[in-house]
């Protein structure tokens, strides 16, 4: 059975080729465009050919294609990545989506404050081509950039983790062998949260509940179903919320607002789609809750920039 790639992944690469390519359209680009128009799957081999065409368009095309993937995400896996609280959370979420993000290869990561080192590894004996490595590097840079909300410096790595010149893959005479890359950014520590009343065990259970909500914010959550996922009795879960000074409904509402805020700031998705993805009934419902919480509409929040993500006091 022929393996295929996500239509969104192929569409992002196609966008870069169509926007930055010069001369006749590459055969792979034309075939992929026809398949996407029909809603048909894109074979993995054809996607590799398309990445080769994208690579030949230069670094600006590769970066543009990667950013495109995160601007209007339709797939729930991408939306989940963009809701990550920090880079560590992003990597945890991305580990579940790696077979979707990488066609026939895998990565190994090492995270340090303000730095992520990625090793690009073969899978089932096939070493990634330079075009594939450069594209996956751009995807990591775009994803990290969206989460840290700032510039990310990229360094390609050769054998023994030696740094390669930025233009090395596009120099005449053949591309070097690329084994991975290093991403660096300004690591601003998150503000320390005020201590929450209640036993530590209760807070840990509430945090576990919030993590479940964040993975499926649009689900029709009920106390009994959540308790089952956390392997506790419903009454024990409700007592944990009470000891932490909160409630099931308050935490679910807070997580849905957080998810909506991340998607508003980090994507160009229409607000109606964001409302549905975050678990709100419709766009007006999202606007009402957003105005009560942040003191502004979702549209105003999107235009204000990172400072608007500071949480306002919850209204009654």
């Amino acid at each position: 059975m022929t393996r295929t790639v996500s239509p969104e992944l192929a569409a992002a690469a196609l966008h870069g080729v169509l926007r930055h390519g010069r001369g006749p359209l590459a055969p792979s680009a034309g075939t992929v465009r026809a398949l996407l128009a029909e809603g048909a799957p894109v074979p993995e081999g054809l996607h590799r050919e398309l990445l080769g065409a994208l690579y030949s368009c230069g670094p600006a095309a590769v970066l543009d294609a990667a950013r495109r993937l995160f601007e209007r995400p339709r797939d729930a896996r991408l939306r989940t990545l963009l809701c990550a609280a920090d880079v560590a959370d992003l990597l945890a979420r991305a580990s579940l989506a790696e077979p979707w993000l990488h066609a026939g290869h895998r990565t190994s990561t090492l995270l340090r404050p303000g730095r992520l080192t990625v090793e690009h590894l073969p899978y089932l004996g096939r070493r990634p081509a330079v075009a594939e490595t450069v594209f996956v590097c751009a995807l990591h840079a775009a994803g990290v950039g969206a989460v840290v909300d700032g510039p990310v410096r990229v360094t390609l790595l050769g054998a023994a983790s030696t740094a390669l010149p930025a233009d090395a893959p596009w120099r005449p005479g053949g591309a070097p062998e690329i084994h991975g890359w290093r991403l660096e950014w300004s690591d601003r520590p998150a503000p320390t949260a005020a201590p929450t009343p209640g036993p530590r065990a209760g807070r840990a259970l509430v945090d576990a509940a919030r993590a479940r909500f964040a993975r499926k914010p649009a689900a029709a959550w009920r106390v009994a179903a959540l308790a089952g996922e956390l392997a506790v009795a419903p009454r024990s879960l409700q007592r944990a919320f009470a000891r932490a000074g909160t409630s099931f409904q308050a935490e679910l509402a807070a997580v849905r607002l957080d998810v909506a805020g991340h998607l508003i700031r980090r994507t160009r998705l229409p607000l109606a789609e964001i409302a549905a993805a975050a678990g709100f009934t419709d766009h007006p419902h999202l606007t009402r809750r957003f105005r009560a919480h942040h003191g502004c509409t979702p549209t105003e929040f999107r235009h204000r920039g990172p400072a608007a993500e500071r949480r306002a006091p919850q209204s009654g």
Side-chain angles (χ1 to χ4, degrees), residues 150-244:
V152 176
R153 185 166 69 255
V154 180
T155 302
L156 295 172
L157 304 175
S161 297
T162 54
L164 300 172
D167 64 343
W170 286 276
R171 285 181 177 176
E177 190 169 334
I178 303 174
H179 291 259
W181 52 88
R182 184 168 61 243
L183 307 180
E184 296 172 285
W185 60 93
S186 175
D187 195 25
R188 299 184 295 272
T192 303
T196 306
R200 183 177 301 176
R203 185 70 254 178
L205 198 54
V206 171
D207 289 342
R210 287 180 62 92
R212 294 299 198 286
F213 292 153
R215 292 189 189 116
K216 297 183 289 184
W221 284 101
R222 297 291 183 270
V223 172
L226 176 61
E229 289 201 16
L230 298 176
V232 298
R235 289 292 298 275
S236 297
L237 179 59
Q238 289 176 319
R239 285 195 293 268
F241 280 120
R243 286 198 302 269

Side-chain angles (χ1 to χ4, degrees), residues 252-313:
L252 177 57
V255 168
R256 284 174 169 169
L257 280 168
D258 286 345
V259 169
H262 282 304
L263 293 176
I264 289 167
R265 282 281 297 114
R266 295 171 178 172
T267 76
R268 297 180 185 176
L269 284 171
L271 293 177
E273 292 189 24
I274 290 176
F280 295 92
T281 306
D282 50 26
H283 183 182
H285 183 207
L286 169 64
T287 298
R288 288 194 303 272
R289 297 304 299 270
F290 221 81
R291 191 192 298 275
H293 185 75
H294 289 284
C296 64
T297 67
T299 300
E300 292 167 340
F301 182 85
R302 175 171 271 171
H303 292 157
R304 284 183 185 179
E309 291 199 49
R310 291 192 296 267
R311 295 187 61 155

